[in-house]
Amino acid sequence: MRASLGVNPWSVLYEGLALRTSLSFGVISAVVGVSVLLLWIPLRQRPTFGTAANIVVLAFASDLGLALIPQNLGLPARLGLLAGGVLLNGLSVAVYVGARHGPGPRDGLMTGAAARTGRSLRFVRTVIELTVLAGGWLLGGGVGAGTVLYALALGPVTQFFLPRFAYRSAAERAAGPRASRSRASRAPR
């Protein structure tokens, strides 16, 4: 948001909803996160501690980040925030999904849809991000070049990092690279 080059698609949705309610950005993030959990039902996903922690941490971190990061930065700083935001978000999704303690609502939607459809994580996440972007834009949320970059890049960045940070059990580690390749071949792409 502070890059002022276009927020991520979910933030476009939150902005659109904020224009129509009196709720803060962080509260809307939490409400939407809980609502997305309903989409897990047909995907046979189940919330875990990591899911609940994601909702709470993301809501507070959003409001904290907006309070701490100054507005009206120069273009180089804004470009750095945009590029860093996309890369770090893809990395963070890969790290906590790979930890196997439960994905957040949006990430469970991604992993569940990828598992049910057999499509790659990058494809599923890109479709989700573009759909949310369209909904947020229709509600009046702001869209910029960074929004489009994020929508198109998050899925591929997440898929790139996930195999590098996925938790492997002791049995998987003992079996060596062959077991990793076998498990990777069954994982959603």
Side-chain angles (χ1 to χ4, degrees):
M1 287 186 72
R2 292 297 189 234
S4 300
L5 297 169
V7 296
N8 73 61
W10 289 92
S11 293
V12 172
L13 178 63
Y14 305 157
E15 281 183 359
L17 291 169
L19 291 172
R20 299 184 177 344
T21 69
S22 61
L23 301 175
S24 76
F25 184 89
V27 170
I28 289 172
S29 168
V31 169
V32 170
V34 170
S35 300
V36 168
L37 292 177
L38 296 175
L39 298 174
W40 285 26
I41 295 169
L43 299 174
R44 297 187 180 126
Q45 293 279 85
R46 293 186 180 188
T48 64
F49 171 77
T51 307
N54 175 275
I55 293 169
V56 173
V57 169
L58 191 59
F60 288 112
S62 295
D63 283 344
L64 179 63
L66 290 172
L68 295 177
I69 299 173
Q71 296 184 39
N72 305 319
L73 297 169
L75 184 60
R78 292 172 34 222
L79 290 170
L81 285 172
L82 174 62
V86 172
L87 288 173
L88 288 175
N89 196 272
L91 173 63
S92 68
V93 169
V95 168
Y96 80 79
V97 168
R100 296 187 187 175
H101 287 294
R106 293 154 287 280
D107 305 312
L109 185 61
M110 170 189 69
T111 57
R116 296 280 286 167
T117 65
R119 302 301 300 246
S120 70
L121 290 176
R122 71 181 157 264
F123 175 81
V124 170
R125 188 57 179 247
T126 301
V127 168
I128 290 169
E129 295 295 324
L130 290 173
T131 301
V132 168
L133 169 59
W137 178 73
L138 290 171
L139 289 169
V143 177
T147 309
V148 176
L149 173 67
Y150 188 96
L152 296 175
L154 184 65
V157 170
T158 299
Q159 185 160 333
F160 172 80
F161 283 124
L162 189 58
R164 291 152 179 82
F165 291 95
Y167 169 77
R168 291 178 27 198
S169 69
E172 290 169 327
R173 287 190 306 274
R178 180 175 292 194
S180 294
R181 281 193 300 273
S182 173
R183 186 170 61 93
S185 69
R186 293 188 309 265
R189 295 193 211 310

